[in-house]
Amino acid sequence: MKKMFGEKGWLGSSADENFTPPRDSKTPTKKSSTPSKNAHGGQKKTTMIEKLKNKFEEFAEKAELNTSPKRGSRERNAKLSLLDVSISPPDQANIAMETELMLVHTANTFLMNQFKKGRFRVETIKRTVDTWTSKGRPLVIEFMYDQITQHSLVAANLSTFRFHGPRAADEIRISSMLYNWKQVANLMAIRTFCNGDTVLLKLLFDIEQILELLGADEPRMLQLQQIRAAAHEMIRVVRSAKEENLASQSGGGAMGRVGWNAYLASEALSNGGGLVGGGSYVGLF
């Protein structure tokens, strides 16, 4: 029978094999490269398993040194993750309320028109109603569900529905709209009311594309443009105030993130019209 370990074993060192100490590595290891001695004063033979174990330890230490992030890179990534928040929570709440109502109402009108023209698959309606009631939710009028449910109904009947706008027949455009609508619905479902300026402006841009393909009427599209104009004006006022504050400071110290000081923009807009304090902009109904 073959002997695997020990003297004259396949995986061990033979008795007459000369011991060759390993070369020094650039990366220090926890194990000493000097061979240990046995009880009789001679050098202890290093087995194949011990050699492999030492190699694995060297590889593990090198990998740990290479993959450990540097402090400077962590601080740089933390700085890049900060976004300017120029619109106050009350104004963001108003924007979210107005735009979500626009989306839900426009989607309901679109779904009702498709239903009246016989373009709905009946099983998709039944499945939606069963899922809705199984969760203990109250019944709704027509198709006034939440955005996620309305999106699912449109996606399930995509092949039979007819959309609006100059690109109504563009399948790529429609697929992009459905993807953006799902992202918008997920974002608006988490109401933190402290979205960054770029996030909020991107949200309003996507909502406009969705409303166009769903066939929103002209008054709603005009109201959305007014919301976008008011949001841009708030951001401009807050950033101007921040720049003036920085310029007026003798030491040149930063004022910090303006954040909730966007109330100043709201008060300024309330005199000439805006989302807060009345003015030229009015609600959806």
Side-chain angles (χ1 to χ4, degrees):
M1 184 174 63
K2 301 293 184 181
K3 186 176 181 181
M4 302 297 293
F5 300 95
E7 289 189 0
K8 298 183 180 180
W10 282 24
L11 301 179
S13 303
S14 61
D16 56 350
E17 180 181 358
N18 294 328
F19 175 78
T20 303
R23 293 180 296 177
D24 292 336
S25 176
K26 294 182 179 179
T27 304
T29 61
K30 296 180 180 179
K31 296 290 184 179
S32 176
S33 59
T34 305
S36 60
K37 295 183 179 182
N38 55 21
H40 300 289
Q43 291 183 347
K44 186 179 179 180
K45 301 296 183 181
T46 304
T47 63
M48 182 67 69
I49 301 300
E50 291 175 348
K51 292 179 180 179
L52 292 174
K53 184 178 179 181
N54 292 337
K55 282 294 182 183
F56 286 144
E57 289 179 353
E58 292 179 10
F59 293 151
E61 290 185 1
K62 291 180 179 179
E64 184 178 357
L65 291 175
N66 292 333
T67 58
S68 59
K70 296 181 180 180
R71 182 179 179 183
S73 63
R74 288 198 300 267
E75 293 178 352
R76 183 165 58 252
N77 292 334
K79 291 180 180 179
L80 292 175
S81 63
L82 298 178
L83 295 176
D84 289 333
V85 182
S86 303
I87 300 181
S88 66
D91 289 330
Q92 292 205 20
N94 270 316
I95 292 174
M97 181 270 295
E98 294 282 1
T99 53
E100 186 170 12
L101 183 56
M102 286 182 186
L103 284 168
V104 172
H105 190 274
T106 302
N108 175 68
T109 304
F110 173 78
L111 291 171
M112 284 299 299
N113 290 335
Q114 303 301 312
F115 176 77
K116 292 176 181 178
K117 295 178 180 179
R119 295 171 182 166
F120 249 112
R121 290 162 53 193
V122 180
E123 61 271 16
T124 61
I125 301 178
K126 184 179 183 304
R127 183 169 60 248
T128 300
V129 174
D130 292 342
T131 303
W132 186 267
T133 55
S134 66
K135 296 180 180 179
R137 296 172 177 173
L139 296 177
V140 300
I141 301 174
E142 298 175 349
F143 294 101
M144 291 288 290
Y145 296 103
D146 63 296
Q147 289 191 67
I148 295 293
T149 304
Q150 290 179 331
H151 172 274
S152 300
L153 281 170
V154 174
N157 297 272
L158 188 61
S159 59
T160 56
F161 279 4
R162 298 294 180 268
F163 295 90
H164 302 268
R167 300 182 181 179
D170 190 344
E171 296 181 358
I172 298 178
R173 177 74 171 177
I174 295 173
S175 299
S176 176
M177 180 272 292
L178 287 176
Y179 174 80
N180 291 335
W181 189 9
K182 188 173 183 180
Q183 301 302 313
V184 166
N186 290 331
L187 179 61
M188 298 183 73
I190 303 175
R191 298 179 176 90
T192 60
F193 306 119
C194 58
N195 291 321
D197 298 343
T198 55
V199 175
L200 195 58
L201 295 178
K202 175 65 164 56
L203 178 70
L204 294 175
F205 175 80
D206 290 338
I207 289 175
E208 183 179 8
Q209 309 303 312
I210 298 168
L211 292 177
E212 181 182 354
L213 280 174
L214 292 180
D217 53 14
E218 186 175 349
R220 281 181 177 78
M221 298 299 292
L222 179 60
Q223 290 165 359
L224 180 62
Q225 292 177 8
Q226 292 175 345
I227 292 177
R228 290 180 63 182
H232 278 287
E233 181 64 15
M234 288 188 210
I235 295 172
R236 185 193 66 79
V237 170
V238 171
R239 290 182 178 178
S240 298
K242 181 178 179 179
E243 292 175 359
E244 292 176 1
N245 186 285
L246 290 173
S248 63
Q249 289 182 0
S250 58
M255 182 181 65
R257 295 176 65 194
V258 177
W260 313 136
N261 291 335
Y263 288 106
L264 299 175
S266 301
E267 294 175 359
L269 285 174
S270 63
N271 297 327
L275 289 174
V276 177
S280 60
Y281 175 74
V282 294
L284 183 61
F285 297 109

